[in-house]
Amino acid sequence: MNTKDLLSISDLSPDDIGRLLSDAVELKARGWNNSLSGKTLALVFEKPSLRTRVSFELAMKQMDGEALYLSPAEVGLGKREPVADVARVLSRFVDVIACRTFGHETLVQLAKYADIPVINALSDLEHPCQALADILTIYEKKGDLKGLSLAYIGDGNNCANSLLLACAMTGINCRLASPKGYLVDKDLFARAEAYAEDSGAELYSGTDLKTALRGADVIYTDVWTSMGQEAETEKRLKDFTGFQVNAKLVSMAKKDAIIMHPLPAHYGEEVDREILECPQSVIFDQAENRLHAQKAVLRDMLGGLEIGGRH
Ligand code: CP
């Protein structure tokens, strides 16, 4: 990777994504290895997590490295001490930081002051590690990326932002249908369009479900109310009426469309429980791929030299 930090999918080039995907496939097949012997990751989390925390911790363990989990109460990013000081202290102790935070600006500050790589483990703006696992899952299930069509139904949130950029870079047509007021950010969509000019991907962001779902190979949804937005729950439930991924919506896509969700799901809101239990659903492969995609990122960032192996 030609970047110190991974704060946005845009920090990667399309070639980087291609290489990380093939590394993830290789690492998934190989399992445990000693690429990151002697390396340490600090997980600085301001929000709860199952998949991100477990997959980062196991990625380090399975490559012979170490991970330290620092909970919100322990670090107090910007509260107990300034973000810039946390960055400089951790730079003296560990080799890489993965941070889950509310405001993306916290990550930008962390990366600015840290001498070591900083990985976005979810911010209000992006979730790049999720998008890499998503693209890996699509590749595994469909055998290709270019020319496929993905329908994203729901909130134009951090997952949608990273997924849109990743699709635009890899040539996946990405059509997002969201209620008025919840579309992906206009500037980010413009950035995705610039990538799409090179990759040939067709992009759409609007309120029309049919436009998004027609001919879709992949149906993707995420929660309507993200962590930190709980006060808006009632309003959002009303505003997102008609955008639930259920049997009716799924029937508008291709018959063999796969169904994706980053989890955790709010069953009965953005998705019908039966839909995520049906054979088209790939949600648990998608969750597992967090581990393999992050292994590829960590190994690349830390220049893992495997004893007796490649890289
Ligand atoms: N998808 C995801 O990031 O899950 P967690 O919030 O459990 O880490």
Side-chain angles (χ1 to χ4, degrees):
M1 276 185 262
N2 205 9
T3 174
K4 172 175 123 12
D5 309 297
L6 176 56
L7 305 190
S8 163
I9 279 287
S10 300
D11 289 331
L12 303 172
S13 67
D15 283 350
D16 287 333
I17 294 182
R19 198 164 30 77
L20 288 171
L21 287 184
S22 70
D23 283 358
V25 169
E26 179 229 321
L27 286 162
K28 184 170 181 172
R30 200 145 52 104
W32 293 58
N33 63 78
N34 58 14
S35 301
L36 297 187
S37 207
K39 302 286 186 187
T40 308
L41 161 73
L43 291 160
V44 180
F45 277 34
E46 291 190 305
K47 293 180 178 186
S49 167
L50 173 66
R51 281 143 291 271
T52 309
R53 177 182 172 178
V54 173
S55 54
F56 266 117
E57 287 198 18
L58 281 178
M60 291 304 289
K61 194 174 176 64
Q62 292 185 8
M63 294 196 289
D64 206 25
E66 299 271 346
L68 304 168
Y69 176 75
L70 300 160
S71 68
E74 282 162 313
V75 181
L77 263 182
K79 296 182 191 98
R80 184 165 180 265
E81 63 184 301
V83 173
D85 289 4
V86 173
R88 287 174 288 183
V89 170
L90 286 177
S91 297
R92 302 291 178 104
F93 289 135
V94 301
D95 301 288
V96 55
I97 301 168
C99 177
R100 169 167 288 207
T101 182
F102 288 93
H104 192 78
E105 184 53 31
T106 301
L107 280 172
V108 174
Q109 286 300 308
L110 204 54
K112 179 177 171 189
Y113 288 98
D115 300 325
I116 55 175
V118 174
I119 301 171
N120 180 354
L122 180 145
S123 72
D124 58 351
L125 188 64
E126 279 205 50
H127 198 357
C129 295
Q130 180 67 55
L132 289 173
D134 296 341
I135 298 293
L136 173 61
T137 309
I138 295 167
Y139 176 73
E140 284 179 340
K141 300 295 172 189
K142 295 291 178 186
D144 206 351
L145 296 174
K146 220 174 173 61
L148 292 174
S149 291
L150 180 147
Y152 179 96
I153 309 298
D155 191 20
N157 63 12
N158 46 9
C159 277
N161 287 342
S162 292
L163 188 62
L164 169 63
L165 291 169
C167 286
M169 288 165 95
T170 55
I172 300 176
N173 303 320
C174 187
R175 304 190 177 104
L176 302 100
S178 314
K180 202 161 168 260
Y182 297 96
L183 270 58
V184 285
D185 179 77
K186 275 195 182 123
D187 291 341
L188 193 131
F189 190 79
R191 203 182 334 147
E193 282 188 312
Y195 289 126
E197 271 182 34
D198 289 334
S199 72
E202 290 170 20
L203 307 180
Y204 167 81
S205 173
T207 58
D208 189 43
L209 287 162
K210 277 188 192 145
T211 302
L213 285 159
R214 199 178 300 123
D217 302 281
V218 181
I219 304 169
Y220 196 116
T221 189
D222 191 14
V223 292
W224 293 339
T225 308
S226 295
M227 286 179 276
Q229 297 173 330
E230 289 78 8
E232 299 171 28
T233 303
E234 209 175 313
K235 176 172 167 34
R236 283 172 172 263
L237 284 176
K238 252 189 239 153
D239 292 347
F240 280 86
T241 302
F243 283 78
Q244 184 190 75
V245 172
N246 51 29
K248 184 178 158 215
L249 259 62
V250 169
S251 73
M252 292 158 76
K254 278 189 184 167
K255 279 203 165 27
D256 64 347
I258 56 170
I259 299 163
M260 301 182 73
H261 191 305
L263 300 178
H266 293 172
Y267 292 110
E269 293 185 16
E270 78 278 1
V271 69
D272 187 291
R273 179 153 202 135
E274 281 169 23
I275 285 297
L276 287 192
E277 298 287 352
C278 80
Q280 285 167 260
S281 166
V282 298
I283 55 171
F284 298 113
D285 295 315
Q286 184 184 359
E288 182 196 326
N289 279 337
R290 295 294 307 276
L291 171 66
H292 310 299
Q294 281 154 214
K295 273 185 174 175
V297 168
L298 288 164
R299 191 176 70 168
D300 195 305
M301 278 187 156
L302 297 176
L305 278 170
E306 193 174 353
I307 299 161
R310 63 175 283 279
H311 204 77

